[in-house]
Amino acid sequence: MADYDLEALSLSELKKMQKDVAKAISTYEDRQKAEARAKVEALARDLGYSLAELVGTETRATRAPAVAKYRHPENAALTWSGRGRKPQWFIEALEAGKTTSDLAIS
């Protein structure tokens, strides 16, 4: 590590050094994590795997479809869970005088 004669530096040089030191401190942990990740990835590659295969990040959690809460009064195949945009048939039924309780699945 280099020795600095801080007394010989100007105010602008000291402020620049202070800024550089603060940045080095804040990124130290990120650099350490990146080095560790690179080492682990290299080891996994040497063993014939990807890091994602070993830690299981490739699997995605899938959600079960939402349960239908509303059914079209004439076509039972048309349902809506009550989530997201209202389907056109639901809007038309409400405009025709039906209520949400009329369309609800009992």
Side-chain angles (χ1 to χ4, degrees), residues 69-81:
K69 293 182 182 178
Y70 304 100
R71 178 169 284 132
H72 190 282
E74 297 162 6
N75 184 354
L78 296 176
T79 59
W80 180 50
S81 67

Side-chain angles (χ1 to χ4, degrees), residues 66-73 76-82 89-90 99-106:
V67 177
K69 293 182 182 178
Y70 304 100
R71 178 169 284 132
H72 190 282
L78 296 176
T79 59
W80 180 50
S81 67
W89 65 263
F90 190 85
T99 64
T100 55
S101 59
D102 293 336
L103 301 171
I105 298 173
S106 3

Side-chain angles (χ1 to χ4, degrees), residues 4 35 50 82:
Y4 295 100
E35 286 178 23
S50 71

